[in-house]
Amino acid sequence: MSRYIINGGHRIYGRTKIQGSKNSVLPILAATVLVRGTSVITNCPEITDVDATIKILRHLGCRVTREKNTVIVDSSVIEKSDIPDDLMREMRSSVVFLGAIIGRTGKASLSTPGGCEIGLRPIDLHLDAIQRFGVNIHEEYAKIEFEAVKPLEGVNIALSFPSVGATENIILTACTAKGTTVITNAAREPEISDLADYLNSCGARISGTGEGTIIIEGVSELHPVQYKVIPDRIVAATYMAAAAMTHGKITLSGVVPAHISPVMPVFEEAGCDISISSDGLTLTAPPYLRSVKTIRTMPYPGFPTDMQAQIMAMTTVCHGTSVVIETIFESRYKHVSELLRFGAKIRADGRMAVVEGVNSLTGASVIASDLRGGASLVLAGLAAQGTTVVDDIRYILRGYENMSGVLSSLGCDIVIEERNSADG
Ligand code: EPZ
């Protein structure tokens, strides 16, 4: 297992360009299956979730080439309509291919996506919605088969929860269905708008993204385009937290400030100064961080669950007591036990965690067990006195492009130690 070796205590100082959004590029690459021809997707981050997505595209019959941050997908010929079991296990968000595969081929087959490190991750909202388009669904223990018994027809769908993935799958299924689809209580994340912007540039007719109701007028076909993915708001906020914890100053270029607005009040309550200019977004940390009364994760535009672990790491070195409430996933506190190894003072009970700030953290040997929890351990290592080893960083490499290179360029002392599996 590869690992990071970090010598903490270095202030972050400098600027960095933020990578393309993982949670945008995955559904957009899946959406290329709906488009006959060659799509050119730019600003794709070099992360392992994109590698896994490319494997699925090639399995389906697409010809895919990649030149650094550009992925070129020729989906003229689609030969299969299943997502292989190993790839479903490698990346459960592969479920977002469902709508695109059904929209293109009229059928699909995937293995039941297991839970993951942060919760059970059911897909009932996806299945209930897709069934309403006239798709027969046959569930067994390990496999789910889908078959459109007639041409897909638009429907009205009221989501009981604004699920990001379910909203994306409904949009993908509805794009080339006959008639109009209306989604109420739809997710409002910027990644949904980015998916819609890509599809609309291909000739789709989607409106209302970013609000609670999305309307999709089905079209007969979509044409390929070149499209640039939005920047990753969670990666941006992660590096903001790193600057805050090391009492540094960071300028992020290429960010969309509006996408970061849900986390700004938390950093400002902790005493950070945030300014926005043509140069980008700059965060200047205070000499001492103040505690944050309550961080409650909510669907966008609320505080993002994907920043919960990283902000919890920040509150461990804030003066005073902070309270974190995780309302989206039922077990997204696996990073707590590892943060305690740095000398943090955290009490987690159910969906609530109470963090009592300490004067300083001490370097520790810790193990990442999920993407954002792993990032929070790196942040703690940057702030801690002494050396930290973060093991099993494959989780982090799923979503952060060259994290050690970026942090080193900002003044941190962090190196990646490649270890093959034989080293354990
Ligand atoms: C997306 O996951 C993101 N992943 C997640 O980011 C993010 O945490 C999540 O949205 C919430 O913002 C991608 O975009 C690839 P949901 P998704 O459907 O679509 C429940 C990261 O770190 N639910 O909005 O799976 C579910 O269990 C990842 O980048 C159902 O009950 O999230 C969860 O409690 C982690 N039934 C809640 O809704 C369903 O059918 C939110 O899930 C679907 C979801």
Side-chain angles (χ1 to χ4, degrees), residues 361-405:
L361 299 174
T362 307
S365 284
V366 290
I367 302 175
S369 58
D370 66 87
L371 167 58
R372 307 302 176 182
S376 78
L377 303 181
V378 172
L379 297 182
L382 296 176
Q385 299 303 319
T387 303
T388 289
V389 177
V390 180
D391 230 325
D392 212 357
I393 61 169
R394 62 193 157 103
Y395 291 103
I396 302 174
L397 302 177
R398 288 187 44 208
Y400 289 87
E401 180 181 280
N402 188 23
M403 178 183 252
S404 53

Side-chain angles (χ1 to χ4, degrees), residues 181-193:
T181 295
V182 179
I183 312 170
T184 48
N185 195 26
R188 298 163 57 182
E189 275 70 3
E191 293 77 27
I192 307 274
S193 301

Side-chain angles (χ1 to χ4, degrees), residues 3 8 51 219 223 263 273 413:
R3 58 190 190 175
D51 301 339
V219 295
H223 56 78
V263 300
D273 176 71
D413 177 353

Side-chain angles (χ1 to χ4, degrees), residues 81-405:
S81 59
D82 71 307
I83 301 177
D85 186 49
D86 60 326
L87 291 176
M88 265 320 284
R89 288 178 187 280
E90 186 178 335
M91 188 180 69
R92 63 168 316 288
S93 46
S94 313
V95 71
V96 81
F97 270 91
L98 195 50
I101 296 172
I102 293 173
R104 176 74 184 262
T105 69
K107 60 184 179 181
S109 161
L110 60 84
S111 55
T112 315
C116 70
E117 315 75 23
I118 59 175
L120 293 172
R121 309 297 292 277
I123 59 168
D124 55 307
L125 299 177
H126 300 243
L127 303 182
D128 295 350
I130 284 172
Q131 197 152 36
R132 309 234 355 217
F133 284 92
V135 175
N136 272 355
I137 299 179
H138 177 63
E139 282 188 73
E140 286 167 12
Y141 292 116
K143 267 253 179 277
I144 314 176
E145 307 283 347
F146 303 78
E147 176 116 36
V149 291
K150 58 185 174 50
L152 298 177
E153 284 185 17
V155 287
N156 293 336
I157 295 170
L159 284 173
S160 58
F161 179 85
S163 155
V164 171
T167 302
E168 291 166 345
N169 257 329
I170 297 166
I171 288 173
L172 291 165
T173 309
C175 257
T176 54
K178 283 185 182 331
T180 302
T181 295
V182 179
I183 312 170
T184 48
N185 195 26
R188 298 163 57 182
E189 275 70 3
E191 293 77 27
I192 307 274
S193 301
D194 205 26
L195 172 63
D197 290 348
Y198 163 68
L199 288 165
N200 283 339
S201 61
C202 297
R205 294 171 64 190
I206 306 164
S207 58
T209 56
E211 290 132 41
T213 299
I214 298 176
I215 299 172
I216 304 113
E217 310 277 352
V219 295
S220 53
E221 69 174 58
L222 299 170
H223 56 78
V225 297
Q226 172 157 330
Y227 188 80
K228 181 178 181 185
V229 170
I230 58 171
D232 195 308
R233 60 194 170 98
I234 303 302
V235 168
T238 302
Y239 292 141
M240 290 165 73
M245 292 175 73
T246 57
H247 310 295
K249 180 176 181 178
I250 189 169
T251 295
L252 305 173
S253 63
V255 295
V256 176
H259 296 169
I260 315 277
S261 54
V263 300
M264 286 185 198
V266 167
F267 286 114
E268 287 161 347
E269 185 177 343
C272 298
D273 176 71
I274 296 175
S275 62
I276 291 161
S277 70
S278 53
D279 225 13
L281 182 148
T282 298
L283 179 142
T284 307
Y288 297 101
L289 290 169
R290 297 194 299 264
S291 61
V292 181
K293 260 191 314 297
T294 306
I295 297 125
R296 183 191 306 274
T297 66
M298 294 294 283
Y300 194 90
F303 186 88
T305 174
D306 292 349
M307 269 304 294
Q308 179 258 104
Q310 301 93 305
I311 286 296
M312 181 186 286
M314 184 184 81
T315 60
T316 65
V317 290
C318 288
H319 280 226
T321 300
S322 307
V323 175
V324 179
I325 302 168
E326 171 58 58
T327 71
I328 306 292
F329 289 103
E330 71 273 14
S331 60
R332 199 166 197 175
Y333 281 150
K334 288 206 171 53
H335 45 283
V336 169
S337 56
E338 297 300 294
L339 287 172
L340 294 177
R341 295 168 68 90
F342 288 94
K345 287 186 180 167
I346 308 168
R347 272 182 299 113
D349 180 6
R351 291 189 176 245
M352 183 181 284
V354 179
V355 185
E356 196 185 324
V358 295
N359 287 331
S360 69
L361 299 174
T362 307
S365 284
V366 290
I367 302 175
S369 58
D370 66 87
L371 167 58
R372 307 302 176 182
S376 78
L377 303 181
V378 172
L379 297 182
L382 296 176
Q385 299 303 319
T387 303
T388 289
V389 177
V390 180
D391 230 325
D392 212 357
I393 61 169
R394 62 193 157 103
Y395 291 103
I396 302 174
L397 302 177
R398 288 187 44 208
Y400 289 87
E401 180 181 280
N402 188 23
M403 178 183 252
S404 53

